Every structure is written in structure tokens, then in C-alpha cells.
Amino acid sequence: GAGVSQSPSNKVTEKGKDVELRCDPISGHTALYWYRQSLGQGLEFLIYFQGNSAPDKSGLPSDRFSAERTGGSVSTLTIQRTQQEDSAVYLCATKPSYSTDTQYFGPGTRLTVL
Amino acid sequence: EDQVTQSPEALRLQEGESSSLNCSYTVSGLRGLFWYRQDPGKGPEFLFTLYSAGEEKEKERLKATLTKKESFLHITAPKPEDSATYLCAVQAANQAGTALIFGKGTTLSVSS
């Protein structure tokens, strides 16, 4: 079946602009994670959605970052007033349910802030 | 603090030259340890999950093992197509929804 998809694959923006990154999970997967992968760094957790529960936002680095998940499916990560240090690859991962362990990753969105 | 350290950062092998990648971890109770492969410009691809010390899993030329403090990814007779970055991650035992904690990865290059 289809895997996790993300769009756009690449995004170049100017400092101070807002950006939206989209994640389409594997059909039926109720758990969804956003991670950030900066050059030379490991993947860094940003936010976690599970079904209709309140999201775990503990990894968001600042209040410029927010995310939504509509209808328990598609998720959008929004970065307001982008800064150069926001440049990174943003990865989405999903898994079938809360109790399963393996997360399946999308191809990522490469964000470049000029 | 939960932490994952991978070594070496980079590894160059000749085709057929077997070796091992190391993943050392400290975590407040281990729920699972995960190995992923990441090719340039792509998302991580799942390889293995290990849950308890002594557990081993194999897939083609790869074998993953787990102790109470570290995991090894053994690569037997590698081929150029095994070239990639290998990521190790752990999940703490407190709850199933906990995000993965990743190491920085080992970049493997296999030349023919």
C-alpha cells in the first residue's frame, strides 16, 4: 500500500515568512509524529498526535511552531516568522496505533530559509 | 537524560569486508531499540526492532543484537548497495506513545 507522503519535497523561503508543511499518513494509522533533522544532528522530536487525544507538544522549540491534524488524518506543521536556524529536513512518521511500536517515515520536506 | 550515541560516525569498507556499527544508549527503562537505514534525500527506512537483552534479528546481510547497554548492527560481506546512513533509536518504557530518541547515525560507504 501507499506509504507516508509529505509535501512539498523542497521549500525555499525568506526569513520572516510563514510556511506550511503537509503530511499524509498511511491509511488507518492513528499515531503521527513530526521530527526535525538538522545538518549533523540526530532526528529531533517535535510533536505527537494520537487519535482524538490532545497532542504532545513537548518537543516544539518555540511558539512559532504549531501543528494540526484534521479528522485524524492529514497533518500540517506551520512555522511562523521563519528564521535561518529553522532550515532542516522535516520528517513525518506514523504508526498503526498507540500500542504498536514501529514508526514509518515519509520522505521529508527540506526547508531552506534564506 | 535519555541518550543515544552511535559510533563510528563514518565507516568505509571494501565490498565483502564485514564489520559492525555500535549504538550505546542510556534510557529510563527500554521499551524498544530500533534500527533504520536512511539514503540521501530520503526518509528513514525501518530495519529492526529489538526489545530485550540477548535478542537478535537478521535481514539479508544485516544482523542486529542487543545488550543492556548497547546494540550492534553487524554487516556481513557488504555490497555497494548497503551504502547508507544507519540510524539507531530508542523508546523509553514509560508509555507507548513516547517519541523515538535518535543517535546521529553512522554513514557507511562500501566500495567495489
Side-chain angles (χ1 to χ4, degrees):
Chain A
V4 179
S5 60
Q6 292 186 245
S7 60
S9 56
N10 283 284
K11 176 72 176 179
V12 180
T13 190
E14 295 179 346
K15 178 181 172 182
K17 301 281 189 182
D18 298 351
V19 296
E20 287 188 350
L21 312 179
R22 177 185 170 107
C23 172
D24 284 86
I26 294 171
S27 178
H29 281 203
T30 61
L32 186 148
Y33 300 77
W34 283 96
Y35 293 86
R36 177 169 70 175
Q37 187 173 34
S38 303
L39 193 62
Q41 301 298 316
L43 274 75
E44 172 192 16
F45 166 70
L46 297 176
I47 189 168
Y48 162 56
F49 295 90
Q50 172 56 53
N52 295 319
S53 302
D56 175 359
K57 302 179 182 180
S58 60
L60 295 178
S62 77
D63 59 7
R64 296 187 295 105
F65 288 73
S66 63
E68 291 185 341
R69 190 176 186 193
T70 54
S73 180
V74 172
S75 178
T76 302
L77 177 69
T78 300
I79 308 173
Q80 295 179 311
R81 305 181 302 282
T82 52
Q83 303 295 312
Q84 289 184 333
E85 60 262 30
D86 299 334
S87 295
V89 176
Y90 290 82
L91 290 158
C92 174
T94 71
K95 63 178 187 175
S97 68
Y98 171 83
S99 59
T100 58
D101 294 324
T102 301
Q103 298 179 23
Y104 297 92
F105 283 81
T109 293
R110 180 175 296 278
L111 175 66
T112 302
V113 182
L114 301 176
Chain B
E1 179 185 356
D2 298 338
Q3 193 170 0
V4 176
T5 302
Q6 292 188 246
S7 62
E9 290 185 11
L11 180 62
R12 289 184 174 275
L13 299 174
Q14 291 289 319
E15 184 172 4
E17 180 186 2
S18 302
S19 188
S20 296
L21 282 55
N22 177 263
C23 171
S24 298
Y25 64 90
T26 55
V27 66
S28 51
L30 180 70
R31 178 177 175 88
L33 184 141
F34 303 80
W35 282 98
Y36 286 84
R37 167 189 172 131
Q38 187 173 26
D39 293 299
K42 297 192 176 182
E45 174 189 348
F46 170 72
L47 293 174
F48 304 109
T49 307
L50 302 168
Y51 291 102
S52 56
E55 188 175 1
E56 299 183 353
K57 288 194 176 173
E58 291 188 62
K59 180 180 180 180
E60 295 180 353
R61 295 176 292 282
L62 301 177
K63 183 169 80 172
T65 62
L66 181 64
T67 73
K68 289 186 177 180
K69 293 184 178 181
E70 58 191 348
S71 176
F72 292 93
L73 184 65
H74 307 277
I75 303 176
T76 301
K79 298 182 177 182
E81 53 262 42
D82 295 323
S83 298
T85 296
Y86 291 85
L87 301 174
C88 173
V90 298
Q91 186 176 36
N94 51 357
Q95 57 181 330
T98 306
L100 299 179
I101 301 164
F102 280 85
K104 294 183 179 180
T106 294
T107 299
L108 173 66
S109 299
V110 182
S111 55
S112 57

